Amino acid sequence: MSLITRRRLITTGLATAAGVSGLGVAAKLSRKYGLVPPDCKGVYGAGETLTYAAQRLLIGNAMAREFPRSMISEKPFANPIAPPKEAFKQMQARGFVDWKLTVDGMVEHPMTLSLADLKTLPVHSQITEVSCEEGWSYIAEWIGTPLSGVLNAAGLKPGANYIVYSSIEPDSWDSLDISEAMHPQTLLAMGMNDGDLPVGFGGPLRMRVPRQLGYKNVKFINHITATDSMKHFGKGLGSVNPEYGYAWFAGI
Ligand SMILES: Nc1nc2c(c(=O)[nH]1)N[C@H]1C(S)=C(S)[C@@H](COP(=O)(O)O)O[C@H]1N2
Ligand SMILES: [Mo]
């Protein structure tokens, strides 16, 4: 089903589920239940708001599809990345022992974690698909620790609505709502297909969000911030992708 058809269907579904007709009412409902995404520039006629609200209400806490080991792609395609800076190469040469993940913002206990610290946390592995908005995809096993565990340890303050994550690459950052951040399949990934996560695929640390498109899966992350509003970040749209016409909420 094409994206447009699916979008129409779920939009109509939302209005129907609400027992009303007319998209304006669905949009009002979205706003009432806090389902207005940061890339929405006004509620009326905002397709992104309706898509986000409809998907959130219909998908709820559903799981991304997991695959059998036999379906792991033989030649996963790594989207090219910017050449690593000297500082990164030096850390790589030292086996990333000095890689740090800072967790701050609206949390009770700001913290800085090494990969060794992260590896003491519960391990989760999943065989899921990465789908790029440009049309290709691959299936791999992802090994890491659920983001929810780190957020629980840091203690989200009341009013924290989004988790912003950024990487050593200046423009590579994105954000998730709390429901996606706390989802059991949302991982801080350190391994892939039984080995360490290769640099080409985002090693040593990558955000793995299997329920959303590839671009939400930022590579080389070193900073996580909890915030009440995306207005404080970049152009206030939740990431750089909406600046180029891609949705902030990239549910698959
Ligand atoms: N730091 C960083 N993360 C990134 C990107 C990037 O260019 N830099 N590209 C994104 C995009 S658009 C996609 S589709 C996926 C691709 O993941 P892959 O390289 O594992 O195939 O990574 C995402 N994460
Ligand atoms: Mo992508």
Side-chain angles (χ1 to χ4, degrees):
M1 199 184 292
S2 80
L3 189 61
I4 294 299
T5 320
R6 202 175 106 200
R7 177 172 291 179
R8 276 213 192 104
L9 196 78
I10 51 188
T11 301
T12 313
L14 179 68
T16 311
V20 292
S21 60
L23 301 181
V25 181
K28 269 187 204 154
L29 276 174
S30 314
R31 189 159 48 182
K32 182 170 168 203
Y33 292 107
L35 295 168
V36 178
D39 56 345
C40 156
K41 297 177 193 115
V43 170
Y44 287 93
E48 299 311 351
T49 297
L50 292 169
T51 303
Y52 175 56
Q55 291 207 11
R56 266 281 164 267
L57 293 177
L58 297 178
I59 295 173
N61 221 32
M63 303 294 275
R65 182 173 172 198
E66 297 200 15
F67 296 84
R69 195 160 288 278
S70 61
M71 287 187 71
I72 291 177
S73 305
E74 256 177 53
K75 287 202 172 97
F77 175 70
N79 219 16
I81 43 168
K85 297 213 172 78
E86 200 48 46
F88 182 91
K89 283 193 202 154
Q90 284 171 15
M91 280 194 276
Q92 185 176 12
R94 291 190 291 269
F96 296 116
V97 288
D98 38 10
W99 190 268
K100 294 279 187 285
L101 176 71
T102 303
V103 184
D104 59 14
M106 291 178 69
V107 294
E108 304 288 351
H109 316 288
M111 52 179 77
T112 300
L113 301 166
S114 66
L115 296 175
D117 294 332
L118 288 168
K119 284 177 183 169
T120 65
L121 300 174
V123 179
H124 176 100
S125 99
Q126 60 185 26
I127 300 173
T128 52
E129 188 170 44
V130 172
S131 304
C132 173
E133 76 290 356
E134 288 171 24
W136 47 267
S137 66
Y138 66 89
I139 294 169
E141 179 181 23
W142 300 92
I143 305 130
T145 196
L147 174 61
S148 63
V150 170
L151 297 178
N152 285 335
L156 289 177
K157 287 189 177 170
N161 294 322
Y162 301 98
I163 302 301
V164 189
Y165 44 104
S166 55
S167 80
I168 53 148
E169 292 190 314
D171 270 349
S172 290
W173 62 278
D174 215 306
S175 58
L176 300 174
D177 60 22
I178 298 299
S179 119
E180 196 77 44
M182 299 303 280
H183 189 273
Q185 288 173 310
T186 300
L187 288 193
L188 290 164
M190 292 168 273
M192 182 185 179
N193 296 341
D194 291 330
D196 282 341
L197 182 59
V199 166
F201 291 93
L205 189 63
R206 177 180 198 173
M207 190 64 77
R208 179 72 188 113
V209 190
R211 303 198 311 165
Q212 297 200 37
L213 285 174
Y215 56 74
K216 303 294 281 190
N217 296 254
V218 175
K219 302 172 179 183
F220 323 121
I221 63 161
N222 58 5
H223 192 178
I224 293 177
T225 303
T227 183
D228 56 342
S229 166
M230 289 312 302
K231 289 199 180 99
H232 317 307
F233 296 85
K235 295 192 177 165
L237 301 174
S239 81
V240 292
N241 297 306
E243 293 171 30
Y244 302 105
Y246 294 110
W248 168 79
F249 181 77
I252 300 174

